[in-house]
Amino acid sequence: MSKITSLADLKSIKAFVEAKMSLRERSETPESMVQIRVAMATCGIASGAKIVMDYLITELDKRNIPAIVTQTGCMGYCYAEPTIEVTRPGHQPLVFGYVDAKKADQIIEKYIKNGELLDGIIPVNYENIEGK
Amino acid sequence: MKDLALHILDILQNSVTAGATLVKLQIEEIPSKDEYLVKLIDNGKGMDAEMVQQVTDPFFTTRTTRKVGLGLPLLKQNAERTGGNMAIKSEPGKGTEVDVKFVYSHIDRLPTGDISGTLALTVSSYPAIDFIYSHTTPEGTFIFDTIEIKETLGDLPINNPQVIAFMKDLISDNLKEIKAS
Ligand SMILES: Nc1ncnc2c1ncn2[C@@H]1O[C@H](COP(=O)(O)OP(=O)(O)O)[C@@H](O)[C@H]1O
Ligand code: FES
Ligand SMILES: [Mg+2]
């Protein structure tokens, strides 16, 4: 029988992650990493936001891009779900609509890695984004 | 919503949006009583009686970005379709409790879906909020408590991708162990 993951395993994972992290990464503040927020209100969830979030976490890690991916409530773009907000260090946040795994891949390769713009950017007045 | 886990994602997010600092999710599978129970308890801002009344009406939402709320009415409908029901208790300033009962053996009971992923994504998104998830079957009870996790993590952030992957494995292995359906 295979071993069941337990809380005790977290200690070794912690040691492993900390050993793997370079000094540079360790000193990385959230502001110096790529930050992505995935809109996870009912309409986002119903249109596949969870799959997009899973994909982003796994792929950014695989591609060695330090990033923090979190979910958030309604961002207010029902018509364009799933939507994500991407903030590259030192840049204004950009919101992308109709994101699926394929689109997320392009966002990583073009926008996150190289700062290239691509289709599907939702023009926003950033002051209004925090869905109220 | 195509499975139960997505509904859970939705109601956990409701609790977060309501400003909760502690969110408890309890799932109980009782085949002997033909019940599959989901209970969510939060200490968020709560709702008054009128709002509790309105909240399962599909044409009600406090949000201004679209005209209808969807999450709770859909969940209620999916519970009722199995012969079960949904009840909400809430008090302004205190918190909210959502109780959902599905009939265990009913053919229309939603597939369970990715509960472990749902929990891992939600708890890693809100490091300042504590989540306690318990799941009981005739085989036993599994408890996932972020207070414990964060103690072990120390200053390693809970949103680290390796930690997220660990939490998924922890939950899914233990759910298998208690033969969660
Ligand atoms: N746990 C909760 N605490 C306080 N208010 C809640 C909670 N869950 C839902 N509500 C209220 O009920 C409304 C309807 O919720 P829901 O059906 O999920 O639709 P939506 O979140 O899309 O508005 C929310 O807008 C919110 O005002
Ligand atoms: S209600 Fe649709 S995106 Fe918020
Ligand atoms: Mg909701």
Side-chain angles (χ1 to χ4, degrees), chain A residues 5 14 42 50 54 71, chain B residues 10 114 125-126 153 168 173:
Chain A
T5 308
K14 177 173 153 72
T42 309
K50 176 173 172 295
D54 274 324
Q71 73 190 46
Chain B
D10 197 29
D114 180 20
S125 293
Y126 303 105
L153 282 173
K168 278 187 197 172
D173 283 6

Side-chain angles (χ1 to χ4, degrees), chain A residues 19-71:
Chain A
K20 209 184 68 171
M21 273 192 203
S22 63
L23 275 173
R24 183 185 63 84
E25 265 180 273
R26 260 182 218 242
S27 61
E28 227 146 35
T29 57
E31 294 69 43
S32 67
M33 296 164 88
V34 176
Q35 308 235 26
I36 302 183
R37 301 198 307 156
V38 181
M40 202 66 87
T42 309
C43 23
I45 297 170
S47 51
K50 176 173 172 295
I51 296 164
V52 172
M53 185 169 171
D54 274 324
Y55 181 89
L56 286 167
I57 292 173
T58 315
E59 289 301 316
L60 287 161
D61 189 40
K62 261 195 214 156
R63 300 177 202 187
N64 280 314
I65 302 168
I68 299 178
V69 184
T70 54
Q71 73 190 46

Side-chain angles (χ1 to χ4, degrees), chain A residues 37-38 40-41 45 70-74 130-131, chain B residues 8-24 40-46 63 95-96 98 118-119 121-132 150:
Chain A
R37 301 198 307 156
V38 181
M40 202 66 87
I45 297 170
T70 54
Q71 73 190 46
T72 181
C74 167
E130 209 52 67
Chain B
I8 289 174
L9 185 55
D10 197 29
I11 58 178
L12 290 173
Q13 183 60 50
N14 277 349
S15 297
V16 170
T17 304
T21 55
L22 179 65
V23 183
K24 294 182 195 162
L40 175 105
I41 305 169
D42 73 40
N43 64 353
K45 68 175 187 234
R63 66 173 76 268
T96 300
V98 181
T118 288
L119 265 296
L121 294 184
T122 304
V123 310
S124 65
S125 293
Y126 303 105
I129 302 177
D130 289 315
F131 295 86
I132 303 173
K150 286 170 201 166

Side-chain angles (χ1 to χ4, degrees), chain A:
Chain A
M1 229 187 79
S2 62
K3 197 181 149 293
I4 306 159
T5 308
S6 75
L7 193 60
D9 299 317
L10 188 55
K11 295 206 177 70
S12 40
I13 288 170
K14 177 173 153 72
F16 172 78
V17 172
E18 285 174 342
K20 209 184 68 171
M21 273 192 203
S22 63
L23 275 173
R24 183 185 63 84
E25 265 180 273
R26 260 182 218 242
S27 61
E28 227 146 35
T29 57
E31 294 69 43
S32 67
M33 296 164 88
V34 176
Q35 308 235 26
I36 302 183
R37 301 198 307 156
V38 181
M40 202 66 87
T42 309
C43 23
I45 297 170
S47 51
K50 176 173 172 295
I51 296 164
V52 172
M53 185 169 171
D54 274 324
Y55 181 89
L56 286 167
I57 292 173
T58 315
E59 289 301 316
L60 287 161
D61 189 40
K62 261 195 214 156
R63 300 177 202 187
N64 280 314
I65 302 168
I68 299 178
V69 184
T70 54
Q71 73 190 46
T72 181
C74 167
M75 297 205 294
Y77 310 104
C78 299
Y79 63 95
E81 295 294 336
T83 50
I84 68 172
E85 180 199 73
V86 183
T87 310
R88 298 171 72 227
H91 292 79
Q92 286 295 307
L94 274 190
V95 176
F96 295 87
Y98 305 108
V99 182
D100 55 9
K102 187 162 160 262
K103 184 91 199 185
D105 173 58
Q106 291 171 354
I107 292 170
I108 297 173
E109 289 304 313
K110 298 201 166 136
Y111 181 63
I112 293 180
K113 284 193 179 167
N114 300 321
E116 275 174 57
L117 299 180
L118 49 143
D119 290 348
I121 295 171
I122 301 181
V124 294
N125 174 356
Y126 187 59
E127 269 66 63
N128 289 342
I129 195 177
E130 209 52 67
K132 293 279 151 56

